[in-house]
Amino acid sequence: MSAIALYAKASPDFEAKLAETVALLKAAAAEHPGKVVQATSLGVEDMIVTDLIARHHIDIAIGTLETGMLHPQTVAMIGTIESTYGLKVEVYQPVQEVAIEFVRQNGEKAMYESIDLRKACCGFRKLEPLSRMLASREAWITGLRREQSNNRGGMLAREEDDKGRAKFNPMIDWTWGDVWHYVSLNKVPYNPLHDEFMPSIGCAPCTRAIAVGEDFRAGRWWWEDEKARECGLHVHEDNVAEELPPLVSSIPTKTTI
């Protein structure tokens, strides 16, 4: 059964939420002309944000992080966006030499060995490429919703990131039912892995399907404590480096933990 059939159910104030979302996207573009980007994870929430940007002709660039560890279905969404909406997607990848050296030192399953290794993997695959995406920008857009996890419950529609850039979370109050109602109503393309009980999709080794009754993000880094289940993209960490460390050896390895 499709995710649409399972989940699509608009909340009573869905139309008001939709109007607020569009208004916030337009405000972001107006306040930061030519300096705002949607950082899409290619998940269903971000596909809705992209759809709204295209549908309302809002001047916001689209960028994504191709970590080198994504499911093929997720990577395919880049082409789907470009062919469906006629929008160019900026693709940011990890520095190849760093990725190769990390795997050489720690193996392809290093993320399961320790939180430090998993976060190091997220660091060069996500955080450093994101820093390049945002380097010339004043603001960025996410598809975050408060309902997604306890860690995101306190987030606001407008925030500042650690570098003082404006961060807009225009879907912050949407429910899971709202998400799929909009997808159904507007025929928004989405990652087919959502139909396989993966509501939150990241890198392939760090994503699994969830069971009935499990938390929305239970399929992400499921072997770790819930409080650790963020990659760092959406948490305030003043010590996150803007650039790669000068030596790959500064990345934690199995022998140094």
Side-chain angles (χ1 to χ4, degrees):
M1 186 177 291
S2 74
I4 292 174
L6 282 171
Y7 306 120
K9 184 179 180 181
S11 55
D13 57 348
F14 170 76
E15 291 297 335
K17 291 176 186 175
L18 176 58
E20 290 171 3
T21 297
V22 173
L24 192 57
L25 289 171
K26 289 181 176 179
E31 293 169 16
H32 306 278
K35 296 286 187 179
V36 58
V37 62
Q38 180 201 0
T40 175
S41 69
L42 306 170
V44 65
E45 290 96 343
D46 282 303
M47 290 303 298
I48 291 174
V49 173
T50 300
D51 184 85
L52 290 170
I53 288 170
R55 189 177 298 273
H56 294 275
H57 307 288
I58 304 172
D59 186 18
I60 293 175
I62 312 295
T64 196
L65 309 178
E66 207 293 75
T67 67
M69 299 289 281
L70 300 179
H71 300 85
Q73 297 94 323
T74 303
V75 177
M77 296 307 298
I78 297 171
T80 298
I81 290 171
E82 295 184 335
S83 62
T84 301
Y85 300 110
L87 298 173
K88 179 64 178 175
V89 179
E90 300 174 11
V91 178
Y92 295 83
Q93 298 175 311
V95 175
Q96 187 177 22
E97 293 81 2
V98 174
I100 290 171
E101 183 62 16
F102 180 84
V103 173
R104 187 191 69 78
Q105 290 183 12
N106 303 292
E108 294 184 353
K109 297 183 178 180
M111 65 286 297
Y112 303 129
E113 298 289 336
S114 72
I115 290 178
D116 283 345
L117 279 172
R118 196 271 292 170
K119 288 189 174 183
C121 190
C122 290
F124 73 80
R125 294 188 188 278
K126 293 183 176 183
L127 299 185
E128 190 280 329
L130 179 69
S131 74
R132 281 185 269 126
M133 182 194 296
L134 300 181
S136 62
R137 265 71 189 234
E138 297 174 354
W140 52 306
I141 313 291
T142 82
L144 297 179
R145 297 183 299 111
R146 291 195 184 96
E147 189 185 65
Q148 288 168 338
S149 72
N150 291 334
N151 290 335
R152 297 178 177 182
M155 289 185 169
L156 305 174
R158 286 174 176 256
E159 298 183 316
E160 278 193 359
D161 69 12
D162 295 331
K163 307 304 176 185
R165 283 178 293 253
K167 183 179 179 184
F168 295 85
N169 307 311
M171 294 184 64
I172 198 73
D173 290 321
W174 286 43
T175 66
W176 193 227
D178 290 332
V179 167
W180 290 101
H181 173 71
Y182 183 91
V183 169
S184 175
L185 197 64
N186 296 283
K187 297 181 172 56
V188 178
Y190 64 88
N191 191 327
L193 292 175
H194 287 304
D195 291 335
E196 299 180 24
F197 302 99
M198 294 186 187
S200 179
I201 303 169
C203 292
C206 301
T207 305
R208 66 160 172 81
I210 65 171
V212 175
E214 280 194 295
D215 181 75
F216 183 90
R217 285 172 65 82
R220 301 290 298 279
W221 308 295
W222 62 92
W223 63 92
E224 295 180 356
D225 182 87
E226 181 184 356
K227 293 180 181 179
R229 292 180 192 169
E230 291 283 356
C231 61
L233 294 179
H234 303 298
V235 295
H236 287 278
E237 294 188 49
D238 293 332
N239 61 343
V240 172
E242 279 286 356
E243 298 179 355
L244 287 170
L247 297 175
V248 176
S249 59
S250 64
I251 294 176
T253 66
K254 290 181 184 178
T255 58
T256 60
I257 289 175

